[in-house]
Amino acid sequence: MTLPDLADRLLPWFRQQAREMPWRGCGDPWGILVSEVMLQQTQVATVVPYWQAFMATFPDPAALARAGEAEVMKAWEGLGYYRRARMLQRTARALMDHHGGQLPRTAKALEALPGIGPYTAGAVASLAFGEAVPAVDGNVLRVWSRWQGSREPIDLPRTRDRCAASLQPLIPVAAAGPFNESLMELGATVCTPRAPACGGCPIAGDCVAREDGSQALLPVKAGKIRVRSVVSVQLVLLGPRGAWLTKGPEEGLLAGLVALPSQWIDMAHPARSADLAPAPVLEALVILQTGLDASRAGARLLRRFPFRFTHLHADFWVYCLAWEDPERDPPGEGRWVSVEALSDLPWPTALRPVRDALSMQS
Ligand code: SF4
């Protein structure tokens, strides 16, 4: 995706979908800094009344710098993570001591203040002063990992650096703040951790995870990678009208992608690994999907291949079975697609060897 592409897709979406927040567009660098500190670890809805009350009590760095600790803690009471309040007061005092009570205008200078890390510095510099620098928080890392299909663990500093470096040239100079906010907003409201709403995502057309169905596997965290082994038995029913494709899910990971009748077996499952080898699973699958007597159905192995997801090693067994009754469809929702048309459909990356094997038969 080129520079105008990403911004051109994100910014109109953001203008329409951005949630109202009192600090958005307030133009007050101090207010923006306070909101960024409060939003660390805390939801927007919780922060709003705290931010309003805090700004009424401490409308500028000078007010916070001269306040007593008890007064600051009282204003923060209930928001949690009280270290943030103490650090914010240290920031305010440093602003009074070294910057005449004003926030410096660049991310580099902001990061030199106590209590301000790279994300907060980038957010304040871009949102308050329009500096074209990235602001990479957890939301942005999640969007970026999925959009780019990155398998780099996001809890490593080098991944954060790589994300920032890759976003830097995509930031429009005239709209750095809205660009950064739109990425954060996308992560908070659309590209959410568990159930990304890819159907409403403005960058879905270029998203690698969306294309290969790996949204739930991304982003990767170094501390949490646990590789599991699974066997995936897939069934290709070939009849006079082509191959039988089942109805994939409408939302989530594999929405809109080609799906075949299938069964997945977690080989680490202690009660199952012994007796759920591909052959008996295939028999069960054939009975379920066709109503045929599996022992007489004559399924043949079309392809067997491994596929590595981030924390899943899958052993694919793909069987082919002739469907000879032109009057009747297999049970369940699905459709026939001619073998010639199969390659025009969107296949998950893991199943592309099946697509290729079928194309060679056409
Ligand atoms: S298409 Fe889905 S996974 Fe990709 S960035 Fe959008 S919401 Fe996230």
Side-chain angles (χ1 to χ4, degrees), residues 141-143 145-151 190-201 203-204 207-220 249-257 309-311 348-349:
L141 273 169
R142 183 170 58 256
V143 172
S145 290
R146 289 172 171 165
W147 174 55
Q148 293 280 288
S150 167
R151 260 64 180 168
V190 175
C191 195
T192 51
R194 288 181 200 280
C198 301
C201 176
I203 59 173
C207 176
V208 174
R210 157 80 165 174
E211 195 196 341
D212 67 13
S214 61
Q215 297 98 317
L217 305 174
L218 297 174
V220 173
E250 295 188 354
E251 286 292 330
L253 293 186
L254 300 174
L257 300 177
F309 297 94
T310 306
H311 49 267
T349 307

Side-chain angles (χ1 to χ4, degrees), residues 182-197:
S182 66
L183 273 174
M184 295 174 211
E185 189 81 352
L186 191 68
T189 62
V190 175
C191 195
T192 51
R194 288 181 200 280

Side-chain angles (χ1 to χ4, degrees), residues 228-261:
R228 286 189 299 131
S229 293
V230 298
V231 166
S232 177
V233 179
Q234 306 268 335
L235 189 60
V236 179
L237 294 172
L238 278 179
R241 285 176 282 160
W244 178 253
L245 304 184
T246 56
K247 190 170 184 301
E250 295 188 354
E251 286 292 330
L253 293 186
L254 300 174
L257 300 177
V258 167
L260 298 168

Side-chain angles (χ1 to χ4, degrees), residues 326-339:
E327 304 300 320
R328 193 171 66 89
D329 285 341
E333 279 197 77
R335 64 191 165 125
W336 294 107
V337 174
S338 72
V339 173

Side-chain angles (χ1 to χ4, degrees), residues 287-298:
I287 293 171
L288 201 66
Q289 292 289 332
T290 66
L292 299 174
D293 177 345
S295 59
R296 295 195 204 144

